[in-house]
Structures are given as C-alpha cells and as structure tokens.
Amino acid sequence: LVTAFESSVEWVRFGGQFAAPAATTGDGATTIDNDTSDGDHPPQPPHTGNPPTGMTATSSDLAPLDGWAAVIFAAGRGTRMRSSLPKVLHPVAGRTMLSLIRHSLQAAGFPQIVVVTPDQDGPVAQAALNGGAPVTQIAVQAEPLGTANAALAVRPLVEDASKLLFLNSDQPLFRPQTLRNIAEQHEQSAEPLT
C-alpha cells in the first residue's frame, strides 16, 4: 500500500507546509491535482471550483466493484493531536480527512463504505453519515481495543461482502484510481490478503 500511495501523490509546498492539493467535483468526489504550477509561478492552493474535464475519476466514471465493502477505521481518540477536534475531522487540503477518504472510495466504485466510529452520535459518526455519500454506514467501537476489534465491529454490516478493503482514516490522500487498482490487483491474485 505504501508504494501505491507514494507513487499516486506529488507533494507541493504551500506556505512552508507540504500538502497534496485537492479538487472537488460537483458530485462531491475529491481528487488530487498533481499539477498546480504553470512553471513560472509557485503551486496554487487547493481550488474550490469544478476541475477541468478529464482531471478526476468520479462515481459515474468507474463501475461498481461487485462484492466489495470498504472499512474506514475512524474510532481512534487522536490524543497525540492535542486537539478537542477528533483527528479524522482535521482538514487536509480544505476537506476533512474522513471526507477525503470516503469520497475517494465512493468515486473508486466501492458499493458499501463502513466507518468505524467511537460512538453512535458523536461528531465522527455525524460526519460519516453526512456529506453526500448515501452508501456510508457506521459501526461503533465503544472501547479502544485495537484494530482487530474495530474490524470485528463491522462484521454484521459486511456479511454480504466477499472482499474487504481496510483503510485508516488518517491516510486520506489516496486517489480513486489507486484504490481501484488495489482492488483489481487483489481480484487478479489468488492470495487471501493483499
């Protein structure tokens, strides 16, 4: 995964910090725009309008991935952030980390997205259920008992899925096509895990 991720994002510098700029399409899909410089000027901040045609993969561009469900781990407390805002709700390139990864999954064609949250009605759960991704469900991991326990929390919701993709919500800059490539690579392999 790390290799696929690193090769799918070019980092640019904004005000002393590195970021991968994002573009949002009219249907809410988010993509990474790798070319923000015209050669004579420095890279520009993330744009808020619609990107040019052909710049993004949207939910209408990629066929649904039959039998797949994607699970986003978002129940962590984020205590090292020293912020009252949950880690997954911090903005990256103008959107929350959770929103970025959820919309990339949707645009990649994942028919079911489950977000593991620390509670049923807190800010992470509300953010997971709001924002234009009708296929999103939540599973609650009330006690922070690790990733395996979080994976067990989604089991009742993904019983119909034959293949699962697990993602941490604090790695939000996957392009839809990269996520799609991971799923297709797994389907072509005879391995139980990729």
Side-chain angles (χ1 to χ4, degrees):
L1 274 179
V2 173
T3 304
F5 173 70
E6 288 174 351
S7 67
S8 69
V9 176
E10 281 185 32
W11 294 90
V12 293
R13 192 172 184 105
F14 292 117
Q17 297 182 355
F18 285 94
T24 305
T25 64
D27 68 355
T30 299
T31 63
I32 304 304
D33 175 5
N34 286 336
D35 186 14
T36 61
S37 174
D38 63 7
D40 295 324
H41 299 90
Q44 298 300 308
H47 38 299
T48 57
N50 290 336
T53 302
M55 187 172 122
T56 181
T58 65
S59 55
S60 62
D61 292 335
L62 301 173
L65 291 163
D66 292 332
W68 280 89
V71 177
I72 305 171
F73 296 125
R77 303 295 187 240
T79 56
R80 291 180 297 239
M81 298 281 292
R82 296 185 183 176
S83 171
S84 60
L85 186 65
K87 177 169 58 172
V88 302
L89 299 183
H90 280 267
V92 173
R95 309 257 320 256
T96 68
M97 287 190 264
L98 180 59
S99 174
L100 286 169
I101 194 67
R102 188 184 68 213
H103 286 292
S104 289
L105 287 165
Q106 185 178 10
F110 285 85
Q112 182 183 12
I113 301 169
V114 180
V115 180
V116 181
T117 65
D119 51 43
Q120 186 74 29
D121 55 1
V124 175
Q126 290 176 9
L129 295 174
N130 295 330
V135 295
T136 303
Q137 300 169 287
I138 61 167
V140 176
Q141 182 190 27
E143 300 282 329
L145 299 175
T147 304
N149 181 262
L152 285 174
V154 304
R155 192 173 189 180
L157 297 175
V158 297
E159 288 179 342
D160 293 336
S162 58
K163 297 168 282 276
L164 300 172
L165 175 70
F166 293 96
L167 295 166
N168 291 324
S169 59
D170 60 358
Q171 298 175 335
L173 297 178
F174 283 101
R175 288 195 245 176
Q177 189 61 54
T178 300
L179 296 169
R180 180 73 175 218
N181 291 347
I182 291 168
E184 289 173 352
Q185 175 71 30
H186 176 76
E187 289 180 347
Q188 292 172 5
S189 75
E191 302 298 324
L193 298 171
T194 300

